[in-house]
Amino acid sequence: MEPTTIQVAVPRPLHAVYDYKVPADIDPPRVGARVRVPFGRSRTVGVCVARHVANPHPKLKAIDAVLDADAAIPGELLELARWMSSYYHHPLGEVLATMLPAAARKGAEFKLDPPPAWIVSERPFANGRAKEQARLHAYLAEHGPVADKKIVELGFSRAVLRNLAASGSIRRAQFEPSASEAALTPTAAQSAAIEAVVAGLGHYRPILLEGVTGSGKTEVYLQAIAASLASAGQVLVLVPEIALTPQTLARFQRRFDRVGMLHSNLSDHERLQTWLRARNGELDVVIGTRSAIFTAFQKLSLIIVDEEHDSSYKQQDGLRYSARDLALKRGQDHQVPVVLGSATPSFETLHNAAQARFAHLKLLERAGGASMPSYHLIDMRGQSLQDGVSVPLQHVIRKHLSARGQILLFLNRRGFAPTLLCAACGWQAECSDCDARLTLHQQPAGLTCHHCGLKFQVPATCEACGKPALMPVGVGTQRTEEALEKLFADIPIIRIDRDTTRTNNQLEAHLAKINQGAPCLMIGTQMLAKGHHFPNVTMVGIINADAGFASPDFRAPERTAQLIVQVAGRAGRAERAGEVWIQTYQPESAALVALIEQGYTGFAAHELGQRRAMDLPPERPMAMIRADAVQPELSHQWLTALLEAARRDASLQPTETLGPAPAPLARLAKRHRYQIMLIAPDRRALHRALRHISGLARANPPPGDTRWSIDVDPYDTL
């Protein structure tokens, strides 16, 4: 009998699948199952993508083993992987590897851990002399199921638990936290939004839920989820940041029983267990960051993407996918509604809503009667400053502290100062490996490149002229914190950035101190801007609003406005009114004026008009082809030759190509970066051009150590 031949996608940067034979003593794998195969001089775990090969390769290697009795990648996810491979122009094997949890990629067995709790069994407890066992049995009879950890915390030894289990009078059971929080009474606007989402259950419907900060979007999510679970469905909730996941999980667990989370702070084993439980139908709600979009479900009935505008949903290397966009694709595949929630929706989502592709629900008022904060500009021209804090801003801070309010100052630049400069000759400390200035830090002292991570000692004298005239220029969170400690010596200062808040425990400690409610001054980066509820914050100060609006990246004004609105939303969330004070050297900026006077909606309309005039996304689709190499001429010459060859073919038309040109950050980690921008009238033309260029690139691979990539719908053009 001829050996069975299968096709396997392997996790390598190769746009091909490979034929293998299945030895007679191994049952052929199902499509979607993992197989261990020899590849080159190594062995790897791939995925079977076809069981019947019409014209197999004449020289076949045999697979080593089949790792799954059933499909590890269900049919729906396998089709999604094929679509992603086509849309993002990325090898199918690497797409499938990205979909699997890390432990699964390494070949871990798909085996669920024993349930982590205990209940009494049908067999009665008969050993009256074992008093501790009897006491534990009685406790479990009254309170079970009880988790192992809780049993130990109650004072029972593991030996007592082990001996009681050996008697057969208790058994393991799935521990499910008991939901205890009742649904809140929704406002009229929330009720309308909930009804609209629930009406969409059972078919694909993309919904933009645009709600001002504090308007109660989460309550809409929760009540829509409850309706979905009532029909035995499962729900996926995506959140942008790991820091938000625990607090979101806690709120969801107070409302629902079977909730799990997926994010990169979990161990590989923990992530695999959650993924398996969702796939087996043992979880009703999965909350996770970007990669949770690849979770397998038995009956997915609703997808929610919270803060849908957030850049964290876009993978910036390898397979450059957008979790938000994949949520829409999965919603379409499963025929379920997809809710995109935000106070500051992305321009792409607003564009789709304006084109009536998405339903558009609005929550225009804060829940509980809280008012929106008022906005004020501080013209910095001619102002005297103390480490970035102007005199007018100091006066406003003192006024709010006198009224026992809390103050939040936002500065999206950590460290002490963004530049170390020689006052004698103008030399600036620059990274040896990047075209970037080094950031001066004082705690601990040193110079750091925030692009590649290299660290240097602070020189005593100028490296160019040798004079001891070095001075910090500009302000970061450390420097502003130092200034605030001098200006407000009797007020607690709490700094929250990646230097002070590296773990969830550190963040929780900061938040606990803030939530005591006493007057304090917070200074922080965007870590403070997202998702936190500070009922006693009455004033928000934006230290520098100009940098983002002046960036060469066309998306930077959008991101800046979103950050300003998000951080402003921390003010006035309870019964006390809030104020937002923005320091700027360009108070007449059209974008800033639109944001202040017309809100985010007016700003978006202004900026979308600018994008439309320049044929930039979302008006037209875009892709970037990037190449980098240690020798600058390698990447530049290869991209130039690639583009010249592509332009000789009619399939490139009518797509417009720009470049190759140096990336705005031209050298990163010793590698010189060049890029080509493609802008097309529609997606069909864009992908036709990308397929043509990608084929040419594979037929004529780049020289030396040159690396190249395709980024469809790029979020960051720097």
Side-chain angles (χ1 to χ4, degrees):
M1 175 185 278
E2 288 294 318
T4 300
T5 305
I6 63 171
Q7 284 189 330
V8 177
V10 296
R12 297 291 189 274
L14 301 165
H15 288 261
V17 293
Y18 297 89
D19 300 342
Y20 285 87
K21 64 183 178 183
V22 181
D25 60 339
I26 297 179
D27 291 334
R30 294 177 179 268
V31 171
R34 296 171 301 154
V35 290
R36 194 179 301 279
V37 297
F39 192 81
R41 297 182 178 179
S42 63
R43 276 167 164 70
T44 189
V45 175
V47 175
C48 173
V49 294
R51 284 177 53 131
H52 304 288
V53 183
N55 297 297
H57 193 279
K59 295 182 180 180
L60 293 179
K61 292 182 179 181
I63 65 171
D64 292 337
V66 176
L67 302 182
D68 307 303
D70 297 313
I73 302 282
E76 175 258 334
L77 285 180
L78 183 56
E79 288 307 307
L80 178 65
R82 295 185 192 278
W83 179 87
M84 290 175 63
S85 178
S86 172
Y87 186 84
Y88 292 110
H89 302 268
H90 202 81
L92 178 61
E94 291 197 335
V95 174
L96 290 167
T98 301
M99 283 184 160
L100 287 167
R105 294 197 294 270
K106 299 170 186 174
E109 183 181 1
F110 280 10
K111 181 181 179 182
L112 279 168
D113 290 343
W118 296 91
I119 60 173
V120 296
S121 66
E122 294 75 18
R123 179 183 296 182
F125 179 68
N127 187 357
R129 291 176 297 175
K131 296 189 183 306
E132 281 297 287
Q133 291 183 41
R135 194 163 69 88
L136 177 55
H137 186 273
Y139 183 85
L140 292 175
E142 182 178 354
H143 300 285
V146 180
D148 293 32
K149 182 179 178 182
K150 177 67 172 177
I151 290 172
V152 174
E153 289 174 352
L154 289 168
F156 297 102
S157 70
R158 294 194 179 275
V160 168
L161 175 59
R162 189 166 53 248
N163 292 334
L164 184 58
S167 74
S169 58
I170 63 171
R171 62 179 177 85
R172 285 194 175 273
Q174 187 60 55
F175 175 63
E176 303 295 353
S178 176
S180 59
E181 184 177 273
L184 303 177
T185 301
T187 64
Q190 285 175 319
S191 291
I194 294 164
E195 290 171 9
V197 176
V198 172
L201 293 174
H203 60 272
Y204 174 56
R205 189 187 189 202
I207 301 167
L208 166 59
L209 178 61
E210 182 179 5
V212 299
T213 52
S215 60
K217 292 185 293 294
T218 303
E219 187 62 28
V220 174
Y221 302 157
L222 292 167
Q223 296 202 28
I225 290 170
S228 175
L229 300 188
S231 58
Q234 292 173 287
V235 179
L236 172 63
V237 181
L238 295 181
V239 295
E241 299 284 349
I242 293 171
L244 299 183
T245 311
Q247 63 192 47
T248 305
L249 180 73
R251 185 166 182 189
F252 278 62
Q253 282 182 331
R254 291 196 298 270
R255 194 71 66 88
F256 308 113
D257 282 334
R258 306 197 307 169
V259 181
M261 66 177 170
L262 283 168
H263 59 73
S264 59
N265 273 2
L266 300 173
S267 69
D268 288 353
H269 180 74
E270 288 171 326
R271 275 181 282 173
L272 178 60
Q273 289 296 306
T274 301
W275 192 84
L276 290 173
R277 290 183 68 198
R279 192 182 76 151
N280 292 355
E282 296 180 18
L283 292 176
D284 294 330
V285 181
V286 172
I287 302 170
T289 48
R290 182 175 57 230
S291 62
I293 189 59
F294 302 121
T295 306
F297 292 94
Q298 279 198 354
K299 189 182 177 183
L300 185 61
S301 59
L302 175 64
I303 301 174
I304 294 170
V305 185
D306 190 32
E307 308 291 0
E308 65 84 26
H309 66 277
D310 198 281
S311 62
S312 300
Y313 288 126
K314 174 71 173 179
Q315 174 70 29
Q316 298 290 1
D317 54 24
L319 172 57
R320 292 166 166 82
Y321 67 90
S322 163
R324 179 199 62 203
D325 296 350
L326 292 184
L328 293 165
K329 181 69 172 75
R330 289 200 75 181
Q332 188 175 41
D333 293 343
H334 283 269
Q335 287 297 296
V336 303
V338 181
V339 179
L340 307 177
S342 178
T344 54
S346 66
F347 287 2
E348 283 76 14
T349 298
L350 286 173
H351 181 72
N352 282 319
Q355 300 293 317
R357 299 188 188 107
F358 295 0
H360 194 171
L361 310 177
K362 296 182 179 181
L363 301 176
L364 301 178
E365 296 181 355
R366 287 183 159 181
S371 60
M372 294 299 294
S374 59
Y375 282 79
H376 311 270
L377 291 181
I378 297 175
D379 186 347
M380 299 285 282
R381 294 171 295 188
Q383 293 284 353
S384 60
L385 304 178
Q386 181 154 347
D387 294 326
V389 183
S390 67
V391 172
L393 187 61
Q394 294 173 32
H395 291 328
V396 177
I397 291 172
R398 292 188 191 282
K399 182 186 77 172
H400 281 266
L401 289 175
S402 297
R404 299 198 59 76
Q406 292 180 330
I407 316 297
L408 190 159
L409 298 181
F410 174 74
L411 176 60
N412 206 26
R413 183 171 277 162
R414 59 195 178 99
F416 186 80
T419 305
L420 183 67
L421 178 140
C422 176
C425 71
W427 171 86
Q428 297 179 52
E430 295 183 346
C431 179
S432 60
D433 292 1
C434 306
D435 288 340
R437 290 189 293 269
L438 295 170
T439 298
L440 176 65
H441 287 251
Q442 282 199 337
Q443 302 166 353
L447 293 165
T448 301
C449 177
H450 286 175
H451 296 282
C452 72
L454 278 181
K455 298 180 184 298
F456 303 85
Q457 289 185 338
V458 180
T461 58
C462 174
E463 293 182 6
C465 69
K467 294 180 180 178
L470 299 177
M471 57 183 286
V473 177
V475 294
T477 50
Q478 287 183 4
R479 191 171 191 176
T480 304
E481 178 187 31
E482 187 176 283
L484 294 173
E485 287 173 344
K486 295 174 182 175
L487 290 167
F488 306 97
D490 56 338
I491 300 296
I493 311 293
I494 301 170
R495 175 162 62 94
I496 297 181
D497 57 26
R498 270 194 289 170
D499 297 319
T500 65
T501 316
R502 296 185 181 276
T503 68
N504 279 336
N505 287 339
Q506 289 174 317
L507 177 61
E508 290 300 321
H510 288 315
L511 297 180
K513 190 173 182 180
I514 294 165
N515 289 329
Q516 290 174 1
C520 67
L521 271 165
M522 294 169 257
I523 172 69
T525 58
Q526 58 184 309
M527 291 183 71
L528 271 176
K530 302 174 184 178
H532 304 297
H533 178 64
F534 301 132
N536 294 307
V537 168
T538 59
M539 181 244 169
V540 165
I542 311 293
I543 299 296
N544 177 12
D546 298 327
F549 289 120
S551 169
D553 185 348
F554 74 92
R555 293 189 190 275
E558 176 187 0
R559 288 196 292 263
T560 301
Q562 287 166 343
L563 267 175
I564 289 175
V565 173
Q566 292 284 335
V567 74
R570 303 312 109 198
R573 291 171 71 98
E575 67 277 0
R576 303 175 70 178
E579 294 180 350
V580 180
W581 290 79
I582 301 175
Q583 296 190 151
T584 175
Y585 287 97
Q586 298 176 318
E588 70 285 345
S589 161
L592 187 56
V593 169
L595 181 65
I596 300 304
E597 295 184 353
Q598 303 171 51
Y600 184 77
T601 301
F603 165 82
H606 172 271
E607 283 296 306
L608 281 167
Q610 300 284 94
R611 300 266 191 99
R612 198 175 302 116
M614 294 185 288
D615 280 336
L616 291 172
E619 188 65 24
R620 287 190 170 192
M622 174 189 285
M624 298 281 290
I625 299 176
R626 294 183 172 98
D628 63 78
V630 172
Q631 294 177 277
E633 63 275 7
L634 291 183
S635 51
H636 182 255
Q637 290 172 1
W638 181 74
L639 278 181
T640 300
L642 182 68
L643 191 56
E644 287 175 351
R647 284 172 172 160
R648 290 194 287 267
D649 192 288
S651 62
L652 194 61
Q653 300 301 324
T655 297
E656 180 183 0
T657 58
L658 304 173
L665 182 62
R667 187 170 58 105
L668 177 65
K670 293 184 178 180
R671 301 185 68 86
H672 295 265
R673 309 159 73 228
Y674 288 85
Q675 56 195 37
I676 297 170
M677 181 184 295
L678 291 83
I679 303 176
D682 54 55
R683 294 201 174 275
R684 182 174 297 180
L686 180 68
H687 287 288
R688 184 171 62 245
L690 286 172
R691 281 192 297 272
H692 176 53
I693 293 175
S694 180
L696 289 172
R698 292 198 297 273
N700 301 278
D705 68 337
T706 306
R707 303 180 303 206
W708 71 284
S709 64
I710 293 176
D711 189 355
V712 180
D713 307 322
Y715 188 82
D716 184 354
T717 58
L718 294 179

